[in-house]
Amino acid sequence: MVSAARPGVPSTAVIGTRCDRLPAVNPRSAQELLAPLATQQTDLGSGRRLIETYTMEGLLGLLWHGPLDAEDVVLCAAGGMGGYLGPADGLYTHLGSTLPATGIAVVCVDYRRPSHLEPSLLDLAATADRAVQQGARRFVILGHSFGGAVAIQAGCALGPYCAGVATFATQSAGCEHASQLAAPLLLLHGGQDRILGPENSEIVRSLAGQGDLRVFDGADHLLTGVADELRDLMAAWIPERLAEHRAA
């Protein structure tokens, strides 16, 4: 359990809260709500570690890039089918190969129950709880497609400990309480997305009452055609948000 007395660290009540899915007040940490049966992990080399947590609702997988005790952590929420790569030809794992050199950890979250919002939100909250126990102080959250709603709700749940949220081809369902998000919001969408059109990001920006919306002409739902552009954008945007939060 996270210690509420630890300076600069969110309490268990903060980590266990939500926008509209998890109980608003719960004396247990998100890790306790996850109810793990067992956890195992292995070092994959090159600063990467695979962590698997067994629960009665499935296996939670974390692909952890960089220092386990990092103060700055990026949480990456997959789409509705789960996985680690993210959009744009493996954007998440690319960031995991570059950002740790600056002391930023990147954690790709593979849900226990992909496409189910409530347990997926708990998966991210429990991952944040684990990171806090290891020394994390601030988070940037990324989410693709279904994961956009997970990322926005997780950003609400983390409150002042969230430095920014970026979504890629997000759905609008599950983002109804986006106005509770205080952190900067970046919404990226492909103009030729045939699965979730860019109007979804427009709706989310309207619900949030803020946000930088960028639509990439010709790009599809996976944003593969603008992979290099997104890698450069996120390589700058993420450290900027963390630095702003650190200085606040």
Side-chain angles (χ1 to χ4, degrees):
M1 177 179 290
V2 180
S3 171
R6 190 176 181 181
V9 176
S11 70
T12 55
V14 172
I15 290 292
T17 192
R18 49 71 159 159
C19 271
D20 68 335
R21 296 284 171 174
L22 299 179
V25 177
N26 197 307
R28 296 189 295 163
S29 72
Q31 280 282 339
E32 291 172 324
L33 291 172
L34 192 66
L37 302 173
T39 297
Q40 66 174 355
Q41 55 184 291
T42 186
D43 187 347
L44 300 178
S46 302
R48 297 172 303 147
R49 181 168 291 272
L50 182 62
I51 304 170
E52 295 182 337
T53 298
Y54 298 84
T55 79
M56 291 299 292
E57 292 198 40
L59 178 69
L60 171 59
L62 305 179
L63 183 55
W64 196 297
H65 304 80
L68 294 174
D69 60 351
E71 292 191 357
D72 297 338
V73 176
V74 179
L75 300 177
C76 302
M81 294 184 181
Y84 296 111
L85 295 178
D89 290 336
L91 175 63
Y92 292 170
T93 51
H94 172 78
L95 293 172
S97 70
T98 57
L99 290 179
T102 66
I104 300 170
V106 177
V107 187
C108 305
V109 180
D110 189 25
Y111 315 117
R112 294 168 298 153
R113 297 177 61 196
S115 80
H116 291 77
L117 187 53
E118 183 172 339
S120 297
L121 174 58
L122 179 56
D123 291 343
L124 249 69
T127 304
D129 195 8
R130 170 188 284 271
V132 165
Q133 293 181 51
Q134 297 171 170
R137 294 293 185 273
R138 60 197 63 85
F139 298 87
V140 166
I141 311 172
L142 313 181
H144 173 236
S145 191
F146 161 80
V150 179
I152 286 175
Q153 290 214 20
C156 295
L158 288 173
Y161 302 93
C162 179
V165 173
T167 65
F168 308 87
T170 187
Q171 65 182 43
S172 55
C175 298
E176 293 81 3
H177 295 262
S179 61
Q180 297 179 27
L181 180 67
L185 174 62
L186 176 63
L187 303 113
L188 307 169
H189 222 113
Q192 297 301 312
D193 189 336
R194 305 302 186 192
I195 297 175
L196 292 167
E199 64 273 11
N200 283 276
S201 284
E202 294 171 1
I203 291 170
V204 173
R205 181 175 64 171
S206 178
L207 290 168
Q210 55 117 345
D212 178 6
L213 171 59
R214 307 185 193 185
V215 178
F216 297 88
D217 293 338
D220 60 11
H221 186 62
L222 283 174
L223 296 157
T224 51
V226 291
D228 290 340
E229 187 173 350
L230 289 183
R231 289 177 178 185
D232 291 342
L233 173 60
M234 300 314 299
W237 190 85
I238 291 171
E240 287 171 0
R241 300 291 78 75
L242 292 167
E244 287 177 358
H245 188 278
R246 195 180 304 112

